[in-house]
Amino acid sequence: MPGHVKAGGSKEADPDPTPFLMVTFEMKKEDSLKPYDAKKSVWVPDGEGGFDEAMIDEVDGEKVSVKVGWEPKTFKTSQMMQVNPPKMEKFDDISNMTYLNEASVLWNLKARYVAKLIYTYSGLFCVVINPYKRYPIYTNRVVQLYIGKRRNEVPPHLFA
């Protein structure tokens, strides 16, 4: 079925797009419960091209002992990157994050994608991660939501 044809026909109301556009209060509350220490929470390489969140145990010059989950590991200080506070989980605009590093950007994009929030701003640009699924975010209801609004007044979307 083409993306512009509604499953219920033209008389049926458009489905609610908000779960696919906005971070809910429940998501924010769940993210705020995540363990975080501004001085000890760091990103470390996972060995597969990605990053894991870890907590610093001990610093010994250029070597740092961390715990990834319950597993102890050792890294160079140059391999570690700061973790953003939980209030910045699923952040709408990556460029406004406190710590703008590779791991934080990838984590934010992944967290938003998993939450079905496929649009994210990065400064002036809109980053889209294709879910290869049809979300109800291109309907007339969504168009009306974005008409006459500034980009900072509405969630990230191509219509903004």
Side-chain angles (χ1 to χ4, degrees):
M1 172 180 344
H4 68 284
V5 178
K6 262 194 273 187
S10 61
K11 301 286 187 227
E12 189 175 308
D14 288 334
D16 183 19
T18 52
F20 304 96
L21 298 173
M22 299 177 197
V23 178
T24 64
F25 176 75
E26 288 78 21
M27 286 182 197
K28 287 181 184 179
K29 186 175 179 183
E30 183 181 325
D31 291 338
S32 70
L33 299 175
K34 174 180 121 172
Y36 174 77
D37 184 335
K39 295 181 181 180
K40 291 186 173 187
S41 295
V42 292
W43 293 110
V44 293
D46 67 359
E48 299 175 5
F51 300 92
D52 288 326
E53 191 171 351
M55 292 292 251
I56 295 175
D57 272 346
E58 185 181 342
V59 179
D60 183 25
E62 286 294 310
K63 297 279 185 189
V64 179
S65 298
V66 298
K67 279 196 177 171
V68 180
W70 296 105
E71 185 180 351
K73 293 185 178 184
T74 304
F75 293 94
K76 295 178 184 176
T77 55
S78 62
Q79 292 178 295
M80 298 186 322
M81 294 176 248
Q82 284 291 131
V83 174
N84 283 299
K87 70 178 181 180
M88 294 193 168
E89 287 282 314
K90 300 178 187 80
F91 217 51
D92 284 351
D93 192 340
I94 293 170
S95 67
N96 291 334
M97 293 192 308
T98 304
Y99 302 111
L100 192 57
N101 54 52
E102 183 181 0
S104 294
V105 169
L106 290 173
W107 176 257
N108 190 63
L109 290 172
K110 179 183 177 186
R112 288 184 63 83
Y113 175 81
V114 168
K116 298 182 180 177
L117 303 166
I118 63 170
Y119 291 108
T120 309
Y121 291 132
S122 180
L124 298 174
F125 300 97
C126 184
V127 179
V128 185
I129 300 179
N130 191 343
Y132 295 100
K133 295 178 185 168
R134 293 197 191 281
Y135 292 157
I137 52 176
Y138 305 105
T139 61
N140 287 332
R141 185 173 176 177
V142 176
V143 171
Q144 295 306 313
L145 179 71
Y146 285 86
I147 287 180
K149 300 278 179 35
R150 294 182 182 174
R151 202 180 90 153
N152 60 348
E153 296 173 344
V154 289
H157 196 284
L158 290 177
F159 294 163

